[in-house]
Amino acid sequence: MVASLTVEDLEEIYLMRSRLESLAARFAAERLTPEDAKALAAVVEELEVQTSAAETGAIRQLNIRLHQLIWQASHTTRLTQVLMN
């Protein structure tokens, strides 16, 4: 069974998600390790390559990966789990 969402539901979900993403980014900026920075830089570099090549499928996957790396770099287990869901 698939739940149907109203426009209001979607607006609420995106508002909450944007706030959680901002929180994760702030924690990541405060807690970034050299390994985190290296992984993020690699994805950004690959995004630049794929953007120049207009590879939309690759860009979409790299964008997802970039967000996941930011969440992981926040070093907040529960916040990362919520965002992964």
Side-chain angles (χ1 to χ4, degrees):
M1 183 177 208
V2 177
S4 64
L5 299 173
T6 66
V7 171
E8 291 81 14
D9 293 333
L10 292 173
E11 288 174 349
E12 183 179 341
I13 290 166
Y14 281 105
L15 175 63
M16 290 176 5
R17 184 159 191 94
S18 70
R19 299 297 162 90
L20 292 175
E21 290 256 5
S22 295
L23 182 60
R26 184 174 8 175
F27 283 138
E30 294 170 353
R31 301 170 179 181
L32 195 69
T33 66
E35 294 80 16
D36 296 331
K38 185 176 178 180
L40 286 164
V43 170
V44 168
E45 183 177 318
E46 186 61 22
L47 263 169
E48 290 171 353
V49 170
Q50 297 303 329
T51 299
S52 294
E55 293 291 337
T56 56
I59 293 167
R60 185 176 63 253
Q61 291 302 313
L62 287 164
N63 182 53
I64 291 167
R65 183 67 185 135
L66 179 64
H67 283 261
Q68 290 172 340
L69 287 172
I70 293 169
W71 306 337
Q72 292 167 356
S74 74
H75 298 279
T76 54
T77 304
R78 287 178 186 83
L79 178 56
T80 300
Q81 288 172 343
V82 167
L83 287 166
M84 290 291 237
N85 288 330

